[in-house]
Amino acid sequence: MNLALLSLALPLVGALLLVLLRPAGGRWVILINLASTLAAAGALHQVMQTGAQWLELGGWSAPLAIRFQLTPLAALLLLFTAGLHLLVALYAARSRHAIGGEDFWPLSCLLQAALAALWLSGDLFNLYVTLELLSLAAVALVALAGAKAYRPALNYLLLSLAGSLAYLFGVALLYGRYGVLDIVLLGELAEADATTRLALLLMSLGLMLKAALWPLHLWLPPAHAGAPAAVSALLSALVVKGPLYILWLLWSRIAPVELAQSAGGLFAVAGIFALLCGGWSALRAPYLKTLVAYSTVAQLGYALLALGLLLRWQEPGLGAALWLFVLAHGLAKVSMFLAAGELQHTLGSKRVRALKGASQTMPLALFAFAVAGGSLIGLPPSGGFLAKWLLLQPLFLQPQHWPWAIGVLLGTLASAAYVFRVVALGFDRARPTPASFHPDRLAQWLAMLPALLVWCLALISKPLLLWIGGVSQ
């Protein structure tokens, strides 16, 4: 647990020092993220050796204590968060156009600390506090893009506050009904009565709004597309996964089985609509980052579908599919947003049609986009393929499950359509290259790295699937 707390404390203290002392942020944030990643790796190794660990803050015992829990899944997400922050920081230090100003550095540290605290929190009110910190840091990061991003940032803030109020009202109902907020204790006490149903409904709506899960997703494309490229990568890869994690906790750890099964079908249907509507919107998007933002809405549909079927059928293997989707999507989206940022900055246009001939002018960035897109489509042997295969396996076992499989197939076709739309333009006839054209090859390689990592998941597929299946139960 000490190493996990260190992984949380380093970015939090770093954010405060960066605000107070104003040093050159990039170098220090890279060092902070590196140290945090190493601490998170140590915490993951420790928890896999000794099992889950608990820390009761202030010396109070449950139910009064604010408890931190270090489970294998929390440790994995802690490492994933620190590792992606390190990768984005390396890119941001190289490509200053992608951060929107020096305020990016303390805000990114605050974002990492809020996510780390969220993964470790073991009670519903502390999760609310971490959600608010996460949302405030994310909104401020979106606003770094300047006046053009103020309206999307304001919409993000207002809708996030609405989601927070719904979540907090649900927390109050549960506390009034059971007198505790600790997740483990609530899981033992919760009953399928009207109060519990209303509380879970309100909290779920608030979390779906914060995570931009269909149909409560309309704030996400303008916010993610309008933010600086490094910010967009963090928002899409990590920020929307925090509310999704809490939603999973609510329905798999607290909700009675009969309530979880009834809600699971609704989540699964919403996941199918997210795949189709998000994919169609991405296919029609005129701007490159808007296309990638809508693909986030679509790809979250796979996670929502996996969560819904997990709850509906109480099938543990679908938990592994859910969290493998989270990992594969995070890596792919970091690569796509960073590649899109480089393409837009160097080519001087935000439009998709400006990519004509990019295979000859900026082949590395276009290849990074295509490789990451291959994982979103589910091409073997990428991480996206592994996650989709885990999701499809139970669908193939029973004939009555074929409608879900068709939904996944249609979502896959939509993903292929918008990825190939970009790639096809990139291989179209090239425009003349101006004499002043000097793309940054190192920045493009940094955008390529997470795309390669998501495909390398296949090299460790067997132990990875066994391990994720264990930690997600």
Side-chain angles (χ1 to χ4, degrees), residues 6-376:
L6 180 62
S7 184
L8 186 162
L10 283 170
L12 180 60
V13 174
L16 295 174
L17 293 177
L18 287 170
V19 169
L20 294 174
L21 303 180
R22 289 289 179 179
R27 184 181 309 167
W28 288 104
V29 171
I30 290 172
L31 292 175
I32 289 168
N33 288 336
L34 178 60
S36 180
T37 302
L38 293 174
L44 179 60
H45 175 74
Q46 189 178 65
V47 77
M48 293 305 296
Q49 297 294 321
T50 62
Q53 302 173 19
W54 303 85
L55 175 65
E56 295 176 344
L57 302 179
W60 296 92
S61 59
L64 294 177
I66 296 177
R67 243 190 335 193
F68 273 3
Q69 57 178 1
L70 181 65
T71 62
L73 179 59
L76 174 64
L77 294 173
L78 194 67
L79 176 60
F80 185 63
T81 299
L84 286 190
H85 268 86
L86 174 59
L87 195 150
V88 172
L90 289 169
Y91 170 83
R94 177 73 181 185
S95 300
R96 294 305 181 100
H97 64 85
I99 63 174
E102 289 299 310
D103 289 335
F104 168 83
W105 301 111
L107 286 171
S108 69
C109 286
L110 181 60
L111 189 80
Q112 182 183 349
L115 275 168
L118 190 152
W119 307 136
L120 296 174
S121 294
D123 71 271
L124 293 180
F125 185 76
N126 204 48
L127 286 169
Y128 165 75
V129 174
T130 60
L131 268 178
E132 289 306 284
L133 291 173
L134 183 65
S135 298
L136 291 174
V139 169
L141 283 166
V142 171
L144 290 178
K148 63 182 180 181
Y150 289 166
R151 183 167 184 173
L154 180 60
N155 290 337
Y156 184 7
L157 176 62
L158 294 177
L159 291 174
S160 180
L161 289 175
S164 298
L165 288 175
Y167 177 86
L168 189 58
F169 191 23
V171 171
L173 288 175
L174 287 179
Y175 186 72
R177 173 68 176 83
Y178 300 107
V180 296
L181 292 176
D182 185 85
I183 290 173
V184 174
L185 295 179
L186 275 174
E188 297 171 354
L189 298 173
E191 300 175 0
D193 56 18
T195 302
T196 304
R197 290 173 186 268
L198 178 59
L200 290 174
L201 173 63
L202 288 170
M203 297 170 76
S204 298
L205 288 175
L207 292 168
M208 290 180 70
L209 184 57
K210 281 180 168 289
L213 298 174
W214 191 94
L216 305 177
H217 66 282
L218 295 180
W219 63 265
L220 183 146
H224 286 203
V231 172
S232 301
L234 293 176
L235 295 179
S236 183
L238 294 171
V239 173
V240 295
K241 309 300 172 42
L244 178 65
Y245 173 75
I246 302 175
L247 193 66
W248 172 78
L249 285 177
L250 282 182
W251 289 99
S252 66
R253 295 294 185 263
I254 295 177
V257 173
E258 56 268 34
L259 290 186
Q261 289 177 328
S262 61
L266 297 176
F267 286 139
V269 170
I272 294 295
F273 274 101
L275 288 172
L276 301 179
C277 297
W280 175 250
S281 297
L283 184 60
R284 298 174 63 247
Y287 301 105
L288 180 59
K289 285 185 66 180
T290 304
L291 182 153
V292 182
Y294 271 114
S295 81
T296 297
V297 176
Q299 294 297 314
L300 287 174
Y302 286 116
L304 193 56
L305 175 61
L307 175 62
L309 296 182
L310 165 66
L311 299 174
R312 182 73 175 172
W313 300 334
Q314 299 295 305
E315 174 63 49
L318 290 170
L322 168 62
W323 296 113
L324 192 53
F325 269 122
V326 168
L327 298 181
H329 175 262
L331 289 168
K333 273 308 163 69
V334 166
S335 183
M336 292 182 84
F337 268 117
L338 297 187
E342 284 303 300
L343 287 164
Q344 286 187 173
H345 176 72
T346 308
L347 298 177
S349 176
K350 297 181 179 180
R351 292 189 171 274
V352 176
R353 66 185 182 205
L355 299 177
K356 191 174 183 179
S359 61
Q360 298 181 42
T361 55
M362 296 188 67
L364 282 176
L366 184 67
F367 187 60
F369 190 98
V371 171
S375 180
L376 298 187

Side-chain angles (χ1 to χ4, degrees), residues 350-421:
K350 297 181 179 180
R351 292 189 171 274
V352 176
R353 66 185 182 205
L355 299 177
K356 191 174 183 179
S359 61
Q360 298 181 42
T361 55
M362 296 188 67
L364 282 176
L366 184 67
F367 187 60
F369 190 98
V371 171
S375 180
L376 298 187
I377 296 170
L379 298 179
S382 65
F385 167 78
L386 296 175
K388 197 171 293 187
W389 179 250
L390 284 178
L391 177 60
L392 287 171
Q393 276 187 320
L395 304 183
F396 292 151
L397 296 178
Q398 299 293 334
Q400 65 269 28
H401 295 161
W402 64 265
W404 303 114
I406 290 178
V408 173
L409 174 62
L410 292 175
T412 299
L413 293 176
S415 301
Y418 62 73
V419 170
F420 285 131
R421 175 191 174 197

